[in-house]
Amino acid sequence: MTSETKFGLFIGGRETDGARGETRPVLDPANNRSFAEAAVGSAEDARAALEASEKAFHESWWASDDGARRAKALLRLAGRLEEQRERFALLETRNNGKTLREATGDIGYVVRTIEYVAGLADKLQGETIPVPGSRFDYTLREPLGVTAHIAPWNYPLLLAIRSVAPALAAGNAVVLKPATLTPLSALAFGRLASEAGLPDGILNVVAGAGGEVGEALLKDPRCRSVSFTGSVEVGRRIAALAAERVLPATLELGGKSPVLVLPDADLDRAARSIVQGIFSNAGQMCWAGSRLLVHEAVREPLLAKVKSLAEGLRLGPGVEEGVEMGPVVSREQLDRVLGFVEEARQDGGQVLTGGSKASEGRLAEGNFVLPTVIADLPAEARAVREEIFGPVLATSSFADLDEAVRLANATRYGLFAAVWTKDLSSAHSLARRLEAGMVNINDPPTSFPQTPFGGFKESGIGFEQGLRVVESYTRVKNVLVNFGGPRKKP
Ligand code: NAD
């Protein structure tokens, strides 16, 4: 059923309409018109996917010790995705709203992630451990079995495959549930995996409501781990379900990340990166630099630069050449973001620029929010404390480093922080004092498949990416052998 306008679920190596045969229209966030139809899966489809996964895990070659063979299949998959980069980027742009340039970058990141973990697939190994007596001890690293992956809508394919790829490299069979709003790229990816030679049932994609499909996956004894990327609220529910079943869970949740600008910083570079860090992807980034904390000595010049860059951003449908910021993903998200801005005004915030829906001409049809900068908000305002997940920057200032650290850490989140300074000592001491899983010095939010990505505090548990990520989808078994020989060494 999959063409570029109709998308089926992908279970057991084939496309299917799903048990209920239900579909939903997929809206283009740039104009809120339907351009495709996607199958909506059910709990029954989730169970069918688990069954197909378990069968493939036990009966196909995938989970064997031949990591090199898995690596080759994954490299073929990366190659096919690279060849179809434009097609997947277009799907992502039309479904999520992001610019084609951003989407093309996302797909490149997915290709690189698959290549990176493919290189680790044949490097999983155990240890031999000296023990007393006539004994021999060693460890085995085994795949977990069937792993579930639940993804959000802001980087639909990138965040799905960020955890799916290492789980596959470790020899697991996977069931992926993409976000309800943005299932298209993941559904198309299922077919690609099959074409690249992954055995039927090793990668299954079941779109559908989180409360139904997601929960059916986690409650089923065949599911052996969960990787979740999404909001803190749903993350709590996932953790509770995982606890019921004593299931390993990786949680990549939200953020309210501070950007600290010290008086000696290169203000031009800092301003460009601040704008990039909050207005890329229309601000819908878990690690958006959404709180600007600037030293009072450079507050005025920095805010003037940020304001001018924000006002210069070209808004429009992501498919158009030269557009720098697309719409937010849905009308609901638009209303949520504007609700935060309204509340910020009531809390005494001064809207330096933006603060409303873009209503000029054809932009009025879509979910476009003007790039927004708000100053002078009290620390307890919701726009300072809560994740808005839209193009809204809250700014405040500090007098010294202690105050900067106190403000930066005064949040329940701990995903990311950025520091702008040329002073080595301040940079490294802040890197240690900031409570965040990732600290970038003189760089906007930037990550690579080889660098760990994870949050502190309520931003999550565990990590994705990095050299250890494939291992995290395995379990360790210790084997002790008593070979009954002489007790002493000759
Ligand atoms: P969300 O939590 O609403 O949904 C995420 C996924 O969970 C979706 O697939 C959804 O269908 C599913 N889901 C919902 N209820 C469920 C349930 N009861 N059981 C199982 N699955 C369920 O998040 P969203 O709105 O799609 O994404 C935005 C959020 O994601 C933001 O908070 C953002 O910060 C976070 N995020 C975090 C990271 C990270 O790496 N830390 C990356 C991107 C996004």
Side-chain angles (χ1 to χ4, degrees):
M1 152 175 179
T2 294
S3 68
E4 294 307 273
T5 53
K6 274 185 159 253
F7 291 77
L9 311 176
F10 198 77
I11 300 176
R14 59 180 201 91
E15 283 149 34
T16 154
D17 292 343
R20 286 202 293 256
E22 198 185 316
T23 61
R24 62 175 274 156
V26 183
L27 304 186
D28 182 338
N31 54 31
N32 286 305
R33 283 197 284 272
S34 165
F35 68 96
E37 243 179 71
V40 178
S42 60
E44 201 176 318
D45 297 312
R47 287 189 283 272
L50 288 167
E51 191 173 321
S53 298
E54 196 169 64
K55 187 167 185 305
F57 180 75
H58 289 296
E59 296 176 14
S60 79
W61 59 270
W62 191 257
S64 74
D65 284 338
D66 197 348
R69 191 171 171 194
R70 279 199 301 278
K72 279 188 186 153
L74 288 170
L75 289 172
R76 275 196 304 275
L77 175 57
R80 279 184 179 258
L81 186 61
E82 177 80 69
E83 284 161 18
Q84 299 190 26
R85 191 165 171 177
E86 279 179 33
R87 172 189 167 222
F88 273 84
L90 187 60
L91 275 182
E92 216 71 321
T93 290
R94 298 209 67 195
N95 197 172
N96 164 281
K98 65 178 68 199
T99 67
L100 210 41
R101 191 168 168 223
E102 290 169 328
T104 307
D106 290 2
I107 304 303
Y109 198 95
V110 179
V111 171
R112 183 65 202 112
T113 299
I114 301 171
E115 288 172 347
Y116 179 72
V117 299
L120 299 171
D122 60 352
K123 293 164 193 72
L124 290 166
Q125 54 195 33
E127 299 173 305
T128 59
I129 303 170
V131 286
S134 50
R135 296 184 184 89
F136 170 54
D137 191 282
Y138 65 96
T139 61
L140 295 172
R141 257 194 194 277
E142 302 176 339
L144 298 167
V146 178
T147 58
H149 303 257
I150 300 178
W153 46 255
N154 57 335
Y155 289 84
L157 194 65
L158 191 159
L159 293 174
I161 305 308
R162 186 175 71 169
S163 72
V164 162
L168 288 174
N172 298 285
V174 159
V175 183
L176 164 62
K177 195 208 85 65
T180 321
L181 283 174
T182 56
L184 301 192
S185 52
L187 294 172
F189 189 82
R191 151 80 39 217
L192 208 65
S194 189
E195 289 168 4
L198 272 68
D200 291 350
I202 285 297
L203 172 62
N204 306 277
V205 187
V206 185
E212 182 177 357
V213 174
E215 298 216 4
L217 290 174
L218 300 198
K219 286 177 182 165
D220 193 294
R222 289 170 291 196
C223 168
R224 306 312 292 269
S225 89
V226 57
S227 301
F228 171 81
T229 306
S231 61
V232 175
E233 291 63 37
V234 179
R236 271 189 232 286
R237 173 77 186 137
I238 302 285
L241 289 168
E244 276 293 312
R245 295 210 33 240
V246 197
L247 214 57
T250 304
L251 304 177
E252 293 279 2
L253 310 178
K256 189 76 189 177
S257 301
V259 179
L260 282 64
V261 182
L262 276 52
D264 68 324
D266 176 336
L267 294 189
D268 286 318
R269 267 190 70 208
R272 282 196 299 276
S273 298
I274 288 161
V275 164
Q276 183 183 334
I278 184 63
F279 300 130
S280 295
N281 217 37
Q284 301 159 113
M285 288 179 286
C286 54
W287 64 338
S290 51
R291 285 188 296 143
L292 170 61
L293 305 176
V294 53
H295 191 279
E296 54 197 22
V298 290
R299 179 184 188 272
E300 295 310 320
L302 183 73
L303 289 191
K305 285 177 199 294
V306 168
K307 178 173 181 290
S308 143
L309 289 169
E311 286 170 353
L313 287 174
R314 197 172 143 208
L315 267 62
V319 289
E320 282 182 16
E321 188 85 21
V323 161
E324 291 165 305
M325 196 176 106
V328 296
V329 72
S330 63
R331 278 206 171 119
E332 193 190 11
Q333 189 64 11
L334 173 90
D335 291 343
R336 183 183 135 84
V337 173
L338 296 177
F340 266 106
V341 175
E342 201 37 53
E343 200 177 322
R345 280 198 177 93
Q346 284 162 21
D347 287 336
Q350 194 198 338
V351 177
L352 301 183
T353 186
S356 62
K357 182 178 185 305
S359 50
E360 263 177 45
R362 69 212 164 100
L363 296 192
E365 295 180 332
N367 312 317
F368 293 92
V369 182
L370 293 173
T372 299
V373 181
I374 309 179
D376 303 331
L377 276 165
E380 39 325 320
R382 243 167 45 91
V384 174
R385 286 186 295 109
E386 293 302 320
E387 183 178 49
I388 298 177
F389 226 56
V392 180
L393 178 67
T395 75
S396 50
S397 49
F398 60 85
D400 56 40
L401 285 195
D402 285 343
E403 188 184 9
V405 170
R406 192 176 49 72
L407 289 172
N409 289 342
T411 164
R412 64 185 173 121
Y413 297 110
L415 192 56
F416 171 74
V419 176
W420 287 88
T421 179
K422 293 183 193 128
D423 180 61
L424 208 57
S425 158
S426 304
H428 287 291
S429 94
L430 283 172
R432 289 184 184 213
R433 294 175 71 191
L434 292 169
E435 291 177 320
M438 293 164 284
V439 179
N440 283 13
I441 314 283
N442 297 328
D443 225 6
T446 308
S447 180
F448 300 92
Q450 59 269 41
T451 58
F453 193 112
F456 293 175
K457 294 153 82 179
E458 290 186 31
S459 289
I461 301 175
F463 63 92
E464 298 292 355
Q465 303 188 158
L467 197 57
R468 304 242 168 266
V469 70
V470 177
E471 263 179 21
S472 73
Y473 289 96
T474 64
R475 58 188 184 187
V476 174
K477 179 179 284 172
N478 192 72
V479 181
L480 179 83
V481 185
N482 189 328
F483 52 84
R487 281 175 190 275
K488 284 188 184 163
K489 284 188 182 171

